């Protein structure tokens, strides 16, 4: 096999896309994952464990070809991770449906696939704000207090992707047909993924987009997702106080504000029962 092409998929660091040419001139595209300034060896192990679960259950994801103590090689899924500026309702619903397929897998936590109480659980920006390591706002503080006063919704422990946003999907034919980048996967409530995807959809595509995500998940799973506002708030809280742009921060706050209104109403209803 001869290395015929190589490029970084993230700012000159891992993961690396590479292409090899066989003696019979067959060409294969692969992804090499190594620790980097933003990816730990533990996350490499989590990604590998998640891909094995995905393959065992026939989920649409890359397939793991080789794994060492801190390096993996996986297949490349054909398609694109670039979403249109105005995604259709069908595309948004297909993203929710892709998440539902993942959540149909019931597994127990393990060292490489631990319990995940929130999306991108390696970060805890709400805790950073409480500890004074990051500034806060009245809205973020109020939402954090509401969430902390609620017992996390009980549900079967299911496989979760852990970082479900458009950039970690692969599109083909105008629909999501695979999920990639499983380095923060684990076991948790389906709301971990649905709340994150709804937040990302709201910030990227407007107030109506989260509804289509939830609709796609519920149609595919045949279930009504419980505690939607709770998981929306959890996802929104696990972002920096000032997000990547003023517009993104404003849209995040609008999404969180809607969740807070529902949580406050539910809290008042419980107090009068």
């Amino acid at each position: 096999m001869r290395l015929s092409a190589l490029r970084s998929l993230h700012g000159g660091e891992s993961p690396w896309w590479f292409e090899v040419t066989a003696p019979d001139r067959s060409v294969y595209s692969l992804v090499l994952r190594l620790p980097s300034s933003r990816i730990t060896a533990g996350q490499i192990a989590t990604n590998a464990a998640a891909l094995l679960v995905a393959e065992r259950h026939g989920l649409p994801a890359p397939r793991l070809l080789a794994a060492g103590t801190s390096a993996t090689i996986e297949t490349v899924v054909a398609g694109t991770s670039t979403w249109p500026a105005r995604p259709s309702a069908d595309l948004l619903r297909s993203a929710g449906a892709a998440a539902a397929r993942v959540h149909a897998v019931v597994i127990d936590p393990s060292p490489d696939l631990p319990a995940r109480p929130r999306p991108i659980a390696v970060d805890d920006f709400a805790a950073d704000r409480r500890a004074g390591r990051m500034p806060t706002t009245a809205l973020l503080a109020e939402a954090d207090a509401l969430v902390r006063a609620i017992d996390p919704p009980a549900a079967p422990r299911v496989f979760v992707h852990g970082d479900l946003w458009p950039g970690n999907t692969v599109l083909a034919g105008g629909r999501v047909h695979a999920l990639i980048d499983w380095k923060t996967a684990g076991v948790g409530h389906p709301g971990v993924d649905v709340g994150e995807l709804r937040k990302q959809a709201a910030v990227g595509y407007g107030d109506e987009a989260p509804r289509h995500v939830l609709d796609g998940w519920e149609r595919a799973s045949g279930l009504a997702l419980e505690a939607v506002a709770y998981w929306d708030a959890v996802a929104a809280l696990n972002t920096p106080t000032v997000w990547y742009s003023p517009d993104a921060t404003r849209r995040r706050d609008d999404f969180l504000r809607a969740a807070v209104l529902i949580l406050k109403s539910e809290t008042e209803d419980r107090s009068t029962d």
Side-chain angles (χ1 to χ4, degrees):
M1 304 288 278
R2 178 176 60 85
L3 180 67
S4 49
L6 175 70
R7 62 182 170 86
S8 168
L9 295 176
H10 195 279
E13 291 188 301
S14 173
W16 298 90
W17 172 91
F18 68 102
E19 192 174 79
V20 291
T21 302
D24 64 0
R25 297 184 183 275
S26 298
V27 177
Y28 302 91
S29 296
L30 304 168
V31 170
L32 170 67
R33 293 185 184 273
L34 300 164
S36 69
S37 64
R38 51 182 287 277
I39 301 173
T40 66
Q43 290 173 315
I44 299 290
T46 289
N47 184 77
L51 293 185
L52 290 175
V53 173
E55 182 173 14
R56 188 158 61 244
H57 292 274
L59 299 179
R63 296 301 181 232
L64 184 68
L65 298 179
T69 55
S70 59
T72 60
I73 296 176
E74 64 193 58
T75 61
V76 173
V77 179
T80 178
S81 293
T82 302
W83 279 40
R86 295 183 179 180
S88 67
D90 281 346
L91 173 52
L92 291 159
R93 281 193 287 264
S94 75
R101 289 189 63 181
V102 176
H103 304 151
V105 177
V106 178
I107 58 174
D108 290 322
S110 66
D112 289 334
L113 293 171
R116 301 299 197 189
R118 60 186 173 274
I120 320 174
V122 293
D123 296 325
D124 192 346
F125 291 110
D128 289 341
R129 283 186 284 268
R130 289 194 298 272
R133 294 187 292 269
M134 180 179 289
T136 191
T137 67
L139 173 62
L140 290 166
E142 180 183 25
D144 186 41
L146 282 167
V147 165
R148 294 180 71 203
I150 298 170
D151 291 330
R157 292 178 293 189
V158 302
F159 191 32
V160 295
H161 179 277
D163 186 10
L164 196 48
W165 70 292
N168 284 339
T169 67
V170 179
L171 311 186
R175 298 177 64 82
V176 171
H177 83 111
L179 303 179
I180 59 174
D181 196 359
W182 296 74
K183 66 181 180 290
T184 56
V187 179
H189 190 287
V192 169
D193 284 338
V194 178
E196 177 67 10
L197 188 54
R198 278 169 51 83
K199 177 196 74 182
Q200 295 282 351
V203 171
Y205 308 115
D207 294 341
E208 286 299 305
R211 175 172 62 86
H212 299 308
V213 169
L214 181 61
D215 185 40
W217 187 91
E218 292 185 336
R219 288 189 192 188
S221 67
L223 301 170
L225 185 68
E226 297 181 354
V228 174
Y230 173 89
W231 293 111
D232 286 353
V234 167
L237 284 167
N238 203 29
T239 56
T241 301
V242 178
W243 211 6
Y244 58 85
S245 73
D247 189 54
T249 302
R250 177 185 61 78
R251 292 190 179 200
R252 186 274 316 274
D253 286 351
D254 289 345
F255 178 74
L256 179 57
R257 195 171 288 110
V260 164
L261 288 174
I262 295 171
L263 291 176
K264 289 172 70 174
S265 176
E266 291 174 346
T267 301
E268 291 170 1
D269 288 344
R270 286 193 296 269
S271 68
T272 58
D273 287 345

